[in-house]
Amino acid sequence: MQRVFHEQGILFGYRHPQSSATACLLSLFQMTNETLNIWTHLLPFWFFMWRFVTILYVTDIQNDSYSWPLLVYMGTSCVYPFASSCAHTFSSMSKNARHICYFLDYGAVNLFSLGSAIAYSAYTFPDTLVCTTFHDYYVTLAVVNTIISTGLSCYSRFLELQKPRLCKMLRVLAFAYPYAWDSFPIVYRLFLFPGESAQNEASMYHQKHIAMTLLASFFYSAHLPERLAPGRFDYVGHSHQLFHVCVILATHLQMEAILLDKTLRKDWLMASSRSLSLLQITGAMLLCLTFSLSNILYFSAALYRIPEPELHKKET
């Protein structure tokens, strides 16, 4: 088994490192150390899809411009768990396939980050920041963050074997700083300026979302509990499974908060703020997709430019 497939504290349950696509699909119904990683995102994907379709059904897409940011957010909330479940399903086909699967996973996560920023800009900004310069450039900088984050997280995979600590630090940073940027209006609203908008029913969900996201970050970076008892949590209970559960719960709480803000603040926001236009929303999403996919293609091509002897050297 090549080192690139090993996970810290996980000793058993690995699939064959050159599995066929069929074998990978069949592994969904076999107990491996990836099985729960797949299902903890695959099942929520269908739940989020159901909620998305339900909202689409009751929304006048053509005329209700106030709901456009919500639809973008709901769509991206379906993309990332599906991409993650696919990445965990097919990551044992080969070394390069494993990297490419996770490149796509990182791109989907960052697309969701932009979807969150668009929804926050439309519905959750604190009263005092609405229509400020910060508000005007908030989504623009969120686009830049997603592009940089995708590139940084993809690049980190090239350091896994030689510099694992630096790899982990870069990957955590790649996801942490876009989240910090996206969440700044929420933190400001809840803790720095507890005005009228901070007192509505959504505030409790925002607080729980932040707490659950911090817990997810802890599991992702700490490799607990498997680091304390290698081999005991190979199939059930290791940190990545717990990370997945926390991320899904955080998304659910975030979704509830955004839906409440959209409903409870509608009159004030429509009277006081400039809503994002279809051109702005579409442009932001297209820029994110174009540059993130360019990053993924560049780093995927780089995998095949590394000489094979050098790969063997890194793994010994």
Side-chain angles (χ1 to χ4, degrees):
M1 179 70 70
Q2 297 162 322
R3 282 179 56 201
V4 69
F5 291 93
H6 287 181
E7 299 289 347
Q8 185 178 1
I10 307 296
L11 304 183
F12 305 105
Y14 292 97
R15 297 171 294 178
H16 192 281
Q18 292 185 341
S19 302
S20 66
T22 301
C24 289
L25 286 171
L26 290 175
S27 72
L28 270 70
F29 308 101
Q30 301 161 358
M31 201 57 191
T32 72
N33 56 34
E34 287 281 22
T35 304
L36 290 184
N37 286 338
I38 298 167
W39 285 103
T40 50
H41 270 177
L42 187 57
L43 292 177
F45 158 71
W46 290 109
F47 172 70
F48 291 152
M49 275 295 295
W50 171 74
R51 298 205 68 180
F52 183 29
V53 171
T54 300
I55 291 173
L56 278 175
Y57 184 75
V58 298
T59 301
D60 182 359
I61 299 173
Q62 186 173 354
N63 299 311
D64 186 6
S65 60
Y66 181 70
S67 296
W68 290 345
L70 176 67
L71 298 179
V72 170
Y73 166 76
M74 295 297 294
T76 59
S77 71
C78 297
V79 170
Y80 90 83
F82 180 73
S84 174
S85 61
C86 288
H88 285 284
T89 298
F90 297 106
S91 61
S92 63
M93 293 181 66
S94 69
K95 289 181 298 183
N96 287 348
R98 179 180 178 83
H99 290 306
I100 293 169
C101 280
Y102 288 115
F103 291 164
L104 292 168
D105 185 17
Y106 302 153
V109 169
N110 282 297
L111 187 67
F112 171 68
S113 174
L114 178 58
S116 300
I118 289 172
Y120 282 169
S121 175
Y123 309 123
T124 69
F125 253 62
D127 303 347
T128 55
L129 291 183
V130 169
C131 294
T132 62
T133 302
F134 174 74
H135 193 191
D136 291 340
Y137 289 96
Y138 172 75
V139 172
T140 302
L141 288 174
V143 174
V144 175
N145 289 341
T146 61
I147 296 168
I148 296 172
S149 177
T150 302
L152 191 60
S153 54
C154 289
Y155 170 70
S156 71
R157 297 199 66 84
F158 291 82
L159 305 176
E160 275 189 327
L161 301 177
Q162 292 177 309
K163 301 177 180 178
R165 290 186 178 180
L166 178 60
C167 164
K168 196 68 175 182
M169 183 182 72
L170 287 178
R171 200 171 301 165
V172 170
L173 176 64
F175 295 128
Y177 88 84
Y179 176 79
W181 173 261
D182 290 353
S183 300
F184 177 79
I186 307 301
V187 173
Y188 184 93
R189 169 178 154 182
L190 295 178
F191 305 110
L192 301 180
F193 186 79
E196 182 179 346
S197 65
Q199 304 304 319
N200 71 25
E201 298 170 35
S203 299
M204 177 183 66
Y205 286 100
H206 283 304
Q207 292 170 353
K208 290 181 178 180
H209 163 244
I210 291 172
M212 193 58 65
T213 303
L214 292 175
L215 185 59
S217 302
F218 168 77
F219 283 124
Y220 183 79
S221 57
H223 291 283
L224 294 173
E226 68 271 14
R227 193 172 66 177
L228 300 178
R232 294 288 299 275
F233 301 95
D234 292 349
Y235 299 95
V236 179
H238 62 72
S239 61
H240 205 82
Q241 295 169 0
L242 300 174
F243 162 70
H244 273 202
V245 172
C246 289
V247 164
I248 291 300
L249 290 174
T251 303
H252 172 66
L253 292 166
Q254 180 190 46
M255 194 176 292
E256 293 299 325
I258 288 171
L259 287 167
L260 280 170
D261 272 333
K262 176 181 179 292
T263 301
L264 297 174
R265 303 182 70 206
K266 181 176 181 178
D267 293 338
W268 186 86
L269 287 169
M270 292 190 73
S272 306
S273 69
R274 299 184 295 269
S275 60
L276 291 169
S277 68
L278 181 61
L279 180 62
Q280 289 174 310
I281 295 172
T282 305
M285 296 301 292
L286 286 177
L287 280 172
C288 175
L289 284 169
T290 300
F291 284 97
S292 293
L293 285 174
S294 297
N295 268 326
I296 291 168
L297 290 172
Y298 172 80
F299 285 107
S300 297
L303 292 170
Y304 295 92
R305 292 198 297 266
I306 301 175
E308 192 66 23
E310 183 67 17
L311 287 175
H312 289 317
K313 180 180 177 182
K314 289 178 182 179
E315 293 172 5
T316 57

